Amino acid sequence: MSWDERFADLYDEWASEMTEDVAFYVELAHETDGPLVELAVGSGRVAIPLAQAAGRPVVGIDTSPAMLAQARERAEAAGVELHLREGDMRELELDEPVGLVYCPYRALLHLPTWADRRRTFERVAASLRSGGRFAWNAFAFDHAIAARLDGLHQDEPVGHSLRYAVGDNRIDITLDGGGTSSLWWATKNEWLGLIDVAGLEVEALYGGFEREPFTEDSREYVWVARRPK
Ligand SMILES: C[S@@+](CC[C@H](N)C(=O)[O-])C[C@H]1O[C@@H](n2cnc3c(N)ncnc32)[C@H](O)[C@@H]1O
């Protein structure tokens, strides 16, 4: 498993620097009617404000009982309806096709192999109604950043060390107190291949959450794909 439960206790601090994505996903929710689905919902960081803004429940799927417990508690405190399910995004199955499936904060990178991602994209495509959208973001690998950070200890946002296993396109994040979570980076062509094999089409590729154009210098892929009409 690429997500270590020991990250759950520190997740608020870990994610404290990631805030600019919420408005982007909220806007997509406003543009869609019907049920909304978040893959790897975690603590509800995005799902709760999104459900609040859209005035509709969000179906949230995650493999981590500890993260789901946080999401449940927060949703209750915020008076928001989330339909939380313990499950693996590779096995996504919904009762009815939906207009929006989204996966923030690079969570698709927790899937180790192309086959895992292909399976996920196929399950998402099967869960979208005609014209329905799949949106996600992921960092673009930057060898200069990797060279700078490989083996480095960082205090912020919580004490951790990074290791770049380049041959496996993997980053291992190890917390000071123990616990390693891994991310497998993907190239633009891998994302395009996944969209293609799942029978989806690209609606937009942005270089950031303000919908900036994606350029050769962009460091974040912000994708919106859709099921063709
Ligand atoms: C970085 S957190 C993202 C949480 C949330 N989406 C957010 O934006 O704050 C990654 C989450 O992915 C979940 N996860 C990892 N692999 C998964 C899988 N195969 N299926 C569903 N959830 C998974 C972890 O349990 C964890 O909650």
Side-chain angles (χ1 to χ4, degrees):
M1 191 66 208
S2 63
W3 173 262
D4 193 308
E5 287 291 67
R6 282 171 283 186
F7 275 74
D9 289 342
L10 300 166
Y11 190 70
D12 271 356
E13 280 171 83
W14 183 261
S16 59
E17 286 166 5
M18 176 53 85
T19 50
E20 73 268 27
D21 57 345
V22 176
F24 171 79
Y25 289 107
V26 164
E27 209 172 300
L28 292 178
H30 278 309
E31 292 166 6
T32 315
D33 55 18
L36 306 158
V37 177
E38 182 170 332
L39 303 182
V41 67
S43 63
R45 183 185 66 85
V46 178
I48 291 171
L50 190 139
Q52 248 159 355
R56 277 172 285 153
V58 172
V59 176
I61 292 152
D62 203 289
T63 43
S64 160
M67 295 296 280
L68 287 169
Q70 287 187 26
R72 202 164 289 119
E73 202 174 297
R74 280 159 191 222
E76 216 173 284
V80 162
E81 198 181 343
L82 297 185
H83 297 168
L84 297 168
R85 294 192 199 162
E86 189 176 325
D88 194 307
M89 59 176 125
R90 290 169 284 198
E91 309 299 332
L92 176 69
E93 283 216 28
L94 301 175
D95 298 336
E96 52 170 332
V98 299
L100 178 65
V101 177
Y102 66 100
C103 188
Y105 210 3
R106 306 164 178 163
L108 287 172
L109 301 186
H110 285 296
L111 299 173
T113 68
W114 203 79
D116 291 315
R117 290 182 194 161
R118 190 200 66 217
R119 168 89 185 149
T120 304
F121 272 63
E122 286 171 350
R123 292 310 314 146
V124 170
S127 306
L128 288 174
R129 66 186 185 214
S130 163
R133 288 154 140 183
F134 180 34
W136 71 99
N137 65 283
F139 64 81
F141 176 73
D142 180 334
H143 62 278
I145 295 178
R148 200 169 68 237
L149 297 184
D150 187 30
L152 200 77
H153 177 268
Q154 289 180 287
D155 291 328
E156 301 291 334
V158 290
H160 69 281
S161 306
L162 294 176
R163 172 168 181 263
Y164 281 72
V166 173
D168 195 33
N169 53 280
R170 191 184 81 237
I171 304 177
D172 296 327
I173 309 165
T174 301
L175 296 172
D176 287 358
T180 300
S181 281
S182 300
L183 297 166
W184 286 260
W185 67 80
T187 64
K188 183 175 159 195
N189 272 331
E190 285 179 76
W191 294 120
L192 288 171
L194 288 160
I195 292 165
D196 187 34
V197 294
L200 299 172
E201 61 188 19
V202 177
E203 181 181 307
L205 169 58
Y206 302 110
F209 296 110
E210 301 290 329
R211 304 197 183 212
E212 305 89 318
F214 187 86
T215 72
E216 285 180 5
D217 295 322
S218 298
R219 290 295 179 268
E220 192 76 18
Y221 302 109
V222 182
W223 291 96
V224 183
R226 71 180 161 222
R227 186 173 161 152
K229 287 195 177 148

